[in-house]
Amino acid sequence: MPKEVKYPEFGAAVRSHISGSGLTLDRIDEASRRSRRIRLTRTTLSSWQNGRSRPQSWAALESLLTLIAEQSGLPWDRKRWQGLYRGTTAEPSMPASPATKAGPSHPLVRDADPVLLGVRQARKSAEHGPVPPYVERDADHEIDAALEAATAGGGLVLIRGDSTAGKSRAAFEAMSRALSDLPLLIPGRGIALDSCVEEARALSRRGRQCVVWLDDLEHYLGPSLLDQVVLRELVGLRAVLLATMRLSEYDRRAPRQTGTAKGDDAYARIDLSDPVLKAADIIDLRRRWSEAELARTETQTDPRLREALRHHQRYGIAEYVSAGPPLWDRWHNARYLGGNPRGHALVATAVDLARSGLGPVSTELITSLHSGYLADEESAMLSPEPLEAAMAWACQDPLGASRLLMPAGQDLWRPFDYLVDTLSQLPDAPPVPDAVREAAVEHASSVQERYSVGVSCYRAERIDLALRAFLPSAETGHVDSMLYVGSIFLDQNREAEAETWWRRLAKAGNARGMLNLGVRSHRKGQRKKAEKWWRRAFEAGLPEAAPRLANVHEDRGEYEEAERLWRIALDAEVPDACFRFGLLAYQRNEHEEAERLYLEGARRGHRECTTNLAQVFLAREDYEEAEKLYLIAAEAGDCVAMRALGFLNEWLGRIHPGDEAPEERSRRIAESLRNLFHEAEREGKWNGAARSAKEWYQRAFDHGDLMSLRLLGNLYQRRARYGKAHKCYRRAAKLGDPVSAAWFNQPVLAHAREYHAPFDEEGERDETTPWRPSPRTLRVLEAALEIEADMAAEGLKELQDRPITTSDWVIGCFDVLPAQTWSQSLVWRQQMIRAFDDLAQDIREGRPPRPRSTGEEMALHLALERAAAITEDSPDLAEEFTEELPGQPGDYDWFACKELLFEDHDVLMLYEPWMEGIENPENSVNQHMRMANLHPDDWFTPFRSQDARDPDRDSRY
């Protein structure tokens, strides 16, 4: 039987404190061994936090709290913990019933002061109070419904919006309407919520619900504050958590993943989302008021509301009432001679420190950095005011509402958040100076502050500073910081170091660390170990592991279990599952369902979903929306999107008549495909389109997309810059691109003698004189066909069905055929050998070797190349083949053979990278030029029914 829980309140406090520190029991155990304090084993700590035992002395508990403070920066209240310890020394007893046990009294919601709760005061007014009358907001009914649902069983309701949108006021009024009789708990900012949990528990024992007020929720989130554990405890006590949050702060913690990609070999990157936010019921409050809200404002008599109404075209009502715009103007316009340029610099310093992720900052830090904002010549000419006067100006309250620098503790200040948000939203917002970011990294003290500064640096792509900010917290066992450190090392291709952090994460129970260890094992070929890690991650509650396990089961043929896992992933809206089911829906022509799934995945940062969603818009000819989506996916690193942008920019380089019919446009595009850019350049439409396409192809190649190097070659080829095109194809071939490699294998008649077929005086071939190759020519050609067939048959013994790659060396012709054929079957390859044999048999039976199918055309091209090599490089061998035949003037005229034995040379277009896809019968160029049987599946289909060969003829197979 499990041991009795004797000290539930003490255990809950210890558990919450350890969880808030981000440290594991193993980490505390290890730190305890290294210190000279009382030894704290993992077993002892586990017993304490489960309430089964208590410390034998105050010194033992103090040792734990001091270690946590040293390792994580989490402070502790000595008086509170001494009270908890004394409570464990008394004889434990069952709690009294609500009817018999009295408890501490708590203020009720109806008695709360809105200003003390964070509702901004309006401008001073002699006739009206600090807060103007409340104007009903459109979102009020949503807030009321969310509070009603939370009241039924506990929950977190979050009102989200821009700074000064009226979030705190709307939350206060909703709370007053719906929860006026409930006790109100107001936790302190930046400190653990242990006492709040205990008060909620005490109220719950007396049968009372409570409201927890969390204005500006970002100040309560974090490993030592409000996390999943604390939230779960409060919701379990049926507490209603009512919170507000600025959009900019929410965006920093919004559900988002970086580097998401499909496939077993794709690492899961950092998850920037906060689990507490995922559990919130979120209501958005708009900064700009609707027509209905403005109409309700018109009925008010408060002059501050009437004045705000006159400015509603530019500002929101609450924004103007709380003095946001006037304070922005006060700061923005302070840089003038005789004004407050030094005061402006002080505020700018505080604003940029806040943008860097730092919390309240000291006067000393602000003043030490502000000179950098006065270093330019213009500032020196403004004659900045004395420092003391500048600080006084920045801290003044000129409107009786807000000030540029708000007090946040003894000698601590924070900028008015409206300034931070407004500056950050400017399209040309200046970057935070390096000196300010470095100072933020240096002065960040707590785990949460270091984490916040690290995130800001990471988003600003100052990875060096981000790593400096994250590492101290990561070393103490802070899970989110470890995730970032591992991801940074991965971005730097330091996979072994990233693996070290994933192992630490896995040891701490983090499922993402387990997931990435599985990927790492899979990349090493350790499939069983990979499955073990993915299964552990899935069992730890990470649905992103389900697609990996589904792929494992599919490989085993366990399709039912794989489908079950895919469905679990889809229900959890895992982006990889959205991508998979979106593909399936699109293949079934269920385009609306595919679009919905792609959109779901794209919202969660899945690059391939974003790319495929763009493809949906492209199919509708909505090029503008498609381009926006391709840009998003390309910025996230998706090479296919980069390729698509290259294509799109190529097409946007041309101007299409607006009244052109779709059929006419398709016909014209087909006709001009090969010389598209020649025409564009002549017409003066080249401008920046090709340059942009080139940049995207180059960027995609830099991201590892080999095909884009070939596409860049195609772009040069269309512009007749053949030297550059050749270099691109050569490089792509060396790197393993099959299409580029095949291009260099195209059969040519190098060094063959010139064409001497009979022509008339006007240069036309004399049709009255039947032409056929000379006997010696046919005999060498027959030998070449036999050599090609024999070598191919010998090579096929080893090759069989195996696909060909650029790294292969294959005996016979198969690796010099167009790349479209490199994955064909054994039977197909046998048919190719038979094509050589059939043409050789034609010669033996006295017929000219005229190809009857695409496969025979290719066989003859290759045989002509070999025949030309024999006659030019090995004339003795040619003489051996033809010693009994008399010589003629037209012997070995291979150019004439190439010209006159074929109907056309369309098959050679399969070698040209810029004509990729032409083998498809649906291809517009294929249709326009009436090409036949270019697809490998059709190579051995006769051009005409009368060309069919006897199926019972002799064959080596």
Side-chain angles (χ1 to χ4, degrees):
M1 293 180 61
K3 293 184 66 176
E4 180 186 359
V5 178
K6 297 180 180 180
Y7 312 101
E9 292 186 23
F10 175 80
V14 172
R15 183 166 63 255
S16 179
H17 197 68
I18 292 176
S19 174
S21 71
L23 302 176
T24 62
L25 298 185
D26 288 333
R27 177 68 180 177
I28 298 172
D29 187 348
E30 181 184 351
S32 174
R33 284 201 308 271
R34 292 199 306 265
S35 73
R36 297 182 179 179
R37 298 186 182 89
I38 296 173
R39 175 67 193 282
L40 301 169
T41 67
R42 193 183 191 286
T43 303
T44 298
L45 295 171
S46 178
S47 183
W48 286 3
Q49 70 175 4
N50 289 327
R52 295 171 182 160
S53 67
R54 65 177 181 83
Q56 296 301 308
S57 66
W58 163 252
L61 179 57
E62 185 179 32
S63 178
L64 169 65
L65 298 170
T66 305
L67 273 173
I68 289 176
E70 291 174 351
Q71 296 293 321
S72 69
L74 178 61
W76 57 282
D77 185 335
R78 177 179 293 272
K79 184 176 180 181
R80 172 175 170 268
W81 281 101
Q82 283 178 338
L84 284 168
Y85 173 71
R86 284 194 298 269
T88 66
T89 60
E91 187 68 20
S93 59
M94 294 296 293
S97 65
T100 60
K101 179 178 178 180
S105 60
H106 296 86
L108 300 180
V109 168
R110 63 169 173 261
D111 300 323
D113 185 334
V115 175
L116 295 179
L117 291 182
V119 175
R120 297 191 188 282
Q121 299 185 62
R123 306 184 200 189
K124 292 179 180 177
S125 172
E127 301 177 357
H128 298 83
V131 177
Y134 182 68
V135 178
E136 180 187 346
R137 304 298 301 272
D138 292 345
D140 281 354
H141 69 282
E142 291 184 62
I143 302 173
D144 291 345
L147 286 178
E148 182 179 356
T151 305
L156 171 61
V157 177
L158 173 61
I159 302 175
R160 180 178 64 181
D162 286 319
S163 174
T164 66
K167 305 180 297 297
S168 301
R169 183 66 186 278
F172 174 81
E173 295 294 337
M175 179 176 67
S176 301
R177 285 193 304 272
L179 311 170
S180 61
D181 294 330
L182 296 185
L184 180 62
L185 305 183
I186 311 171
R189 289 185 172 185
I191 62 174
L193 273 68
D194 298 356
S195 59
C196 181
V197 173
E198 292 172 15
E199 291 179 47
R201 182 175 289 110
L203 287 166
S204 178
R205 286 173 178 158
R206 300 201 306 273
R208 298 294 307 277
Q209 275 187 288
C210 64
V211 181
V212 182
W213 177 260
L214 301 170
D215 192 39
D216 292 332
L217 181 61
E218 63 271 16
H219 297 297
Y220 300 91
L221 294 174
S224 59
L225 307 170
L226 178 61
D227 57 13
Q228 280 180 297
V229 176
V230 175
L231 178 62
R232 195 178 301 117
E233 288 192 50
L234 288 170
V235 172
L237 297 169
R238 298 180 65 237
V240 179
L241 290 80
L242 182 55
T244 67
M245 197 174 202
R246 289 152 51 205
L247 274 171
S248 59
E249 291 292 340
Y250 181 87
D251 182 62
R252 291 175 57 195
R253 301 165 175 83
R256 183 183 306 153
Q257 288 182 325
T258 63
T260 308
K262 58 183 173 58
D264 291 342
D265 280 347
Y267 288 108
R269 301 300 188 89
I270 49 176
D271 185 356
L272 304 181
S273 60
D274 191 297
V276 172
L277 296 182
K278 290 180 179 178
D281 189 349
I282 300 175
I283 297 96
D284 286 310
L285 197 67
R286 297 188 305 172
R287 178 179 63 85
R288 298 290 295 274
W289 287 31
S290 69
E291 292 298 327
E293 289 170 328
L294 293 173
R296 291 190 286 269
T297 307
E298 290 178 351
T299 64
Q300 301 294 327
T301 57
D302 190 298
R304 294 167 296 186
L305 289 173
R306 304 294 298 180
E307 182 182 355
L309 193 60
R310 291 196 295 272
H311 295 86
H312 80 272
Q313 294 289 350
R314 185 176 178 186
Y315 306 112
I317 300 295
E319 175 184 7
Y320 195 84
V321 167
S322 62
L327 281 175
W328 170 266
D329 291 340
R330 175 179 169 83
W331 174 46
H332 193 66
N333 298 329
R335 292 185 81 250
Y336 63 92
L337 187 62
N340 300 93
R342 191 181 301 276
H344 178 278
L346 291 170
V347 176
T349 304
V351 167
D352 281 347
L353 285 169
R355 290 168 66 197
S356 299
L358 211 58
V361 292
S362 65
T363 306
E364 181 183 1
L365 180 58
I366 296 175
T367 55
S368 67
L369 292 171
H370 88 285
S371 57
Y373 294 82
L374 296 170
D376 59 297
E377 184 178 347
E378 180 186 353
S379 297
M381 295 175 63
L382 295 177
S383 301
E385 72 277 24
L387 180 60
E388 186 175 346
M391 197 68 190
W393 172 83
C395 300
Q396 283 177 356
D397 183 6
L399 303 172
S402 299
R403 55 188 84 183
L404 295 172
L405 293 182
M406 308 285 289
Q410 186 174 359
D411 196 36
L412 292 176
W413 305 90
R414 60 180 177 85
F416 182 35
D417 54 31
Y418 182 85
L419 306 179
V420 180
D421 282 0
T422 303
L423 180 64
S424 300
Q425 291 168 6
L426 291 177
D428 55 347
V432 176
D434 289 345
V436 174
R437 285 204 184 277
E438 290 174 3
V441 172
E442 182 180 344
H443 285 81
S445 54
S446 68
V447 171
Q448 185 60 26
E449 232 179 17
R450 286 194 293 266
Y451 176 72
S452 182
V453 170
V455 171
S456 176
C457 293
Y458 186 88
R459 290 195 165 190
E461 298 184 356
R462 286 302 311 270
I463 306 302
D464 55 331
L465 292 177
L467 197 56
R468 279 175 50 194
F470 287 130
L471 272 173
S473 297
E475 291 288 355
T476 66
H478 182 229
V479 169
D480 291 342
S481 296
M482 286 195 283
L483 281 167
Y484 266 101
V485 171
S487 184
I488 288 172
F489 284 142
L490 184 59
D491 286 335
Q492 297 173 346
N493 295 319
R494 297 157 67 179
E495 288 191 37
E497 292 171 88
E499 183 180 355
T500 300
W501 287 100
W502 295 332
R503 291 196 178 280
R504 295 179 67 173
L505 283 162
K507 189 176 180 181
N510 181 267
R512 290 197 174 274
M514 299 173 193
L515 183 71
N516 278 348
L517 284 173
V519 175
R520 179 76 166 153
S521 300
H522 192 272
R523 290 165 74 97
K524 293 177 180 178
Q526 301 167 345
R527 297 183 178 275
K528 288 186 178 179
K529 189 176 288 187
E531 182 184 355
K532 181 198 77 171
W533 282 117
W534 289 335
R535 199 165 298 283
R536 284 188 58 183
F538 180 68
E539 290 170 353
L542 187 67
E544 284 87 341
R548 317 290 178 126
L549 288 174
N551 288 332
V552 170
H553 287 286
E554 283 178 349
D555 290 342
R556 293 179 189 156
E558 299 166 356
Y559 300 112
E560 187 174 341
E561 176 63 11
E563 185 66 19
R564 185 186 74 84
L565 289 165
W566 276 117
R567 289 292 173 185
I568 289 173
L570 183 63
D571 291 342
E573 297 177 339
V574 175
D576 279 347
C578 294
F579 179 74
R580 178 183 185 269
F581 285 98
L583 276 177
L584 294 174
Y586 198 83
Q587 290 167 4
R588 296 192 302 265
N589 292 322
E590 297 173 359
H591 293 171
E592 289 186 6
E593 176 66 6
E595 182 178 349
R596 183 189 70 79
L597 290 165
Y598 288 150
L599 181 60
E600 203 65 53
R603 283 173 176 164
R604 285 161 173 75
H606 195 277
R607 299 177 309 190
E608 287 75 16
C609 280
T610 308
T611 299
N612 282 21
L613 184 61
Q615 188 65 33
V616 171
F617 283 100
L618 197 62
R620 297 179 189 161
E621 298 190 1
D622 188 346
Y623 300 113
E624 183 177 352
E625 193 63 29
E627 186 173 20
K628 289 178 185 176
L629 290 163
Y630 280 137
L631 281 168
I632 293 171
E635 290 296 337
D638 185 65
C639 297
V640 176
M642 295 177 194
R643 263 190 258 146
L645 283 166
F647 284 127
L648 201 55
N649 277 284
E650 288 189 54
W651 286 109
L652 292 177
R654 295 189 51 79
I655 295 177
H656 299 288
D659 57 351
E660 185 178 31
E663 298 80 7
E664 179 62 22
R665 180 181 178 192
S666 297
R667 187 194 63 78
R668 184 175 49 76
I669 288 174
E671 291 176 347
S672 62
L673 183 63
R674 295 196 61 163
N675 59 353
L676 172 66
F677 286 96
H678 296 278
E679 293 179 4
E681 195 163 21
R682 284 199 304 270
E683 294 169 11
K685 304 296 188 299
W686 187 256
N687 49 50
R691 286 192 295 274
S692 180
K694 173 187 171 184
E695 289 167 5
W696 279 113
Y697 291 148
Q698 183 64 52
R699 185 170 173 183
F701 173 67
D702 293 342
H703 277 71
D705 184 57
L706 187 56
M707 186 188 293
S708 293
L709 184 59
R710 185 210 315 156
L711 295 176
L712 186 59
N714 294 349
L715 189 63
Y716 285 129
Q717 183 76 20
R718 295 190 187 109
R719 289 203 69 196
R721 301 179 70 174
Y722 303 120
K724 286 198 170 186
H726 184 93
K727 287 181 180 178
C728 288
Y729 296 144
R730 176 66 69 187
R731 188 177 179 193
K734 287 182 178 179
L735 292 173
D737 178 50
V739 176
S740 298
W743 185 56
F744 292 97
N745 296 327
Q746 181 173 350
V748 294
L749 298 178
H751 310 298
R753 281 180 287 171
E754 293 196 7
Y755 171 33
H756 293 301
F759 280 77
D760 61 20
E761 293 179 358
E762 297 180 359
E764 297 293 334
R765 188 169 66 83
D766 184 3
E767 298 291 348
T768 63
T769 305
W771 179 89
R772 60 179 293 145
S774 70
R776 290 169 68 95
T777 302
L778 287 172
R779 179 63 60 83
V780 173
L781 182 55
E782 178 190 351
L785 287 162
E786 291 172 348
I787 291 170
E788 287 287 347
D790 290 343
M791 291 182 64
E794 186 64 27
L796 192 56
K797 293 178 183 178
E798 179 184 346
L799 183 60
Q800 297 292 305
D801 273 306
R802 178 169 58 82
I804 297 170
T805 67
T806 55
S807 59
D808 278 333
W809 184 82
V810 179
I811 298 175
C813 66
F814 299 111
D815 60 341
V816 298
L817 294 177
Q820 296 92 329
T821 70
W822 285 12
S823 297
Q824 292 301 313
S825 67
L826 173 65
V827 172
W828 188 95
R829 290 165 178 166
Q830 290 172 342
Q831 288 179 288
M832 188 67 212
I833 295 172
R834 195 175 193 183
F836 289 109
D837 288 336
D838 286 339
L839 291 171
Q841 184 65 28
D842 286 344
I843 296 175
R844 284 193 291 271
E845 294 177 357
R847 294 188 300 274
R850 296 191 183 276
R852 306 185 189 189
S853 66
T854 302
E856 291 186 8
E857 283 186 335
M858 182 56 66
L860 186 57
H861 278 297
L862 295 173
L864 285 172
E865 183 178 41
R866 181 169 294 279
I870 290 173
T871 55
E872 296 299 320
D873 301 335
S874 305
D876 293 343
L877 182 60
E879 282 299 319
E880 182 180 337
F881 289 147
T882 61
E883 57 184 356
E884 78 282 6
L885 297 174
Q888 295 182 7
D891 284 346
Y892 310 143
D893 192 343
W894 305 117
F895 279 108
C897 292
K898 194 175 183 78
E899 177 67 22
L900 301 173
L901 290 177
F902 296 85
E903 293 187 28
D904 57 54
H905 294 164
D906 289 352
V907 69
L908 297 183
M909 296 173 71
L910 295 176
Y911 283 100
E912 298 172 353
W914 55 94
M915 297 300 288
E916 186 177 10
I918 199 171
E919 72 277 6
N920 190 337
E922 301 299 321
N923 182 278
S924 57
V925 178
N926 184 303
Q927 293 178 347
H928 177 70
M929 298 180 68
R930 297 181 180 179
M931 296 174 171
N933 301 351
L934 287 187
H935 195 282
D937 293 346
D938 301 324
W939 267 30
F940 306 107
T941 301
F943 293 132
R944 290 167 290 273
S945 58
Q946 59 267 31
D947 290 337
R949 294 187 182 273
D950 182 0
D952 297 325
R953 66 193 184 281
D954 292 339
S955 172
R956 68 176 73 198
Y957 295 109

